[in-house]
Amino acid sequence: MNMKLWISTGLALGLTAGAAFPSMAADLGSSAAWYLGLSGGESKSRADSSDINTALSNNGLVPLGSSLDNKDTGWKLYLGHQVNPNFAVELGYLDLGKFSFSSSTAGGSLSGDLKTKSGGYIDAVGIMPLSNNFSIFGKLGVYTIKTELSGSGAGGSVSASHRANDWTYGIGAGYDFSRNFGVRVEWERFNNVGNDSTSHKDVDLASLGVVVKF
């Protein structure tokens, strides 16, 4: 995915909002809301030992076996605009953490980290209110995430990085304690993070967060 797709997606979000909600201008004063959110939780890479072996091979090493701790802490900070009770757009920064690995090669052992940091995303959010305070939602968007694989030891050293751009989607639920403060729980998937030199798998984020509306 390249910058043209990001632009096309942004235009599509705008056109969708305009086409789906023709009376938006009349209702904007009562229903529009900006909000800031901060969420954190467990990130999980779908990569496994075979993906680390492949990455090491693509970086000139001869792996004999690897192990990977594929869970860490992830977080995100985001700005959203709720156009009306059923639609919002979110733009955010995220850090999916790092996953530690250890490997043995023909020359010995090495250890290091697979980092999935310096990411950003834009999501279209479809919202279904179930009461005055509680709602569920689904998300679809695009992301950009930089992945870094680094390690060293007697078995050699490796250093590779790649910035991936692809689709993200998720589901969640939110509860508003007041007009200006709420919480949300959500699950998200980021497709095809990385490449064959850093490992190339989906990464999931299950998070709990706070939302402040203004």
Side-chain angles (χ1 to χ4, degrees):
M1 182 179 295
N2 53 30
M3 187 60 66
K4 290 182 179 179
L5 184 53
W6 277 82
I7 295 172
S8 298
T9 301
L11 291 174
L13 294 178
L15 291 173
T16 299
F21 310 111
S23 61
M24 180 181 66
D27 298 334
L28 193 58
S30 60
S31 63
W34 290 92
Y35 56 92
L36 280 172
L38 177 63
S39 297
E42 182 181 83
S43 60
K44 181 178 180 179
S45 173
R46 311 301 292 186
D48 56 24
S49 58
S50 64
D51 297 299
I52 297 298
N53 288 338
T54 298
L56 295 178
S57 295
N58 287 324
N59 283 281
L61 299 177
V62 183
L64 302 178
S66 298
S67 62
L68 173 68
D69 180 0
N70 66 345
K71 295 180 180 180
D72 196 28
T73 299
W75 63 273
K76 62 177 185 172
L77 176 67
Y78 52 93
L79 172 68
H81 181 60
Q82 186 167 341
V83 177
N84 64 34
N86 301 110
F87 182 80
V89 178
E90 291 181 4
L91 177 68
Y93 173 86
L94 58 89
D95 183 335
L96 296 178
K98 63 181 181 180
F99 312 105
S100 300
F101 73 91
S102 59
S103 302
S104 59
T105 71
S109 61
L110 72 150
S111 60
D113 298 305
L114 170 62
K115 300 177 182 179
T116 51
K117 299 190 174 186
S118 303
Y121 68 91
I122 181 170
D123 281 343
V125 186
I127 306 165
M128 180 183 294
L130 299 181
S131 71
N132 289 336
N133 302 94
F134 182 70
S135 62
I136 58 176
F137 57 85
K139 310 172 69 176
L140 177 65
V142 290
Y143 77 80
T144 176
I145 294 175
K146 184 178 181 180
T147 303
E148 299 177 349
L149 180 72
S150 61
S152 61
S157 62
V158 59
S159 179
S161 65
H162 176 74
R163 181 166 291 279
N165 307 287
D166 212 304
W167 297 104
T168 176
Y169 56 89
I171 57 174
Y175 184 85
D176 294 328
F177 291 100
S178 69
R179 181 180 180 87
N180 301 109
F181 179 77
V183 295
R184 65 161 58 174
V185 59
E186 55 189 313
W187 170 89
E188 297 165 277
R189 171 160 290 178
F190 301 87
N191 284 330
N192 299 319
V193 177
N195 65 1
D196 287 341
S197 294
T198 62
S199 89
H200 189 215
K201 288 290 183 176
D202 303 340
V203 179
D204 299 338
L205 176 64
S207 63
L208 176 67
V210 296
V211 177
V212 178
K213 298 181 179 181
F214 52 94

